[in-house]
Amino acid sequence: MKVGEAVKKEVLIKPPYMTLGQLLKEESVVSSGGQAKWFLKEHAVDVNGEPDNRRGRKLYPGDTVDVKDVGLFFIRLKPGN
């Protein structure tokens, strides 16, 4: 991957949802929930095309999360669930 190139990735979750903070942690954008809080205050994040800075925001299969300068994440249901 080139420097500054954003990723596009499917994120497979177990039902019923995961939080925005969990997504940031699982995708190694931050290393802890506390860091997620500060990250969301300082960086633009869109959920389904709308700005959102709540680390507790529930993400469901079908949602998209665009973390500016990091990547676009597509929330999908983990097979077998």
Side-chain angles (χ1 to χ4, degrees):
M1 182 168 73
K2 296 177 184 174
V3 174
E5 181 180 323
V7 298
K8 291 183 181 177
K9 182 177 181 188
E10 282 192 342
V11 178
L12 302 177
I13 67 168
K14 293 180 182 178
Y17 64 86
M18 80 181 320
T19 66
L20 182 54
Q22 288 172 321
L23 172 74
L24 295 174
K25 188 174 175 185
E26 284 189 21
E27 295 303 319
S28 300
V29 177
V30 299
S31 60
S32 72
Q35 284 183 339
K37 181 178 178 178
W38 292 106
F39 181 89
L40 290 167
K41 285 184 179 184
E42 298 177 4
H43 297 86
V45 176
D46 291 342
V47 177
N48 298 327
E50 298 289 328
D52 203 322
N53 63 357
R54 299 171 293 159
R55 68 180 170 167
R57 165 71 187 258
K58 293 177 181 175
L59 305 172
Y60 297 93
D63 287 346
T64 58
V65 179
D66 186 4
V67 182
K68 305 298 183 214
D69 299 322
V70 175
L72 183 60
F73 301 95
F74 304 96
I75 309 303
R76 303 290 184 252
L77 186 61
K78 192 174 212 176
N81 287 312

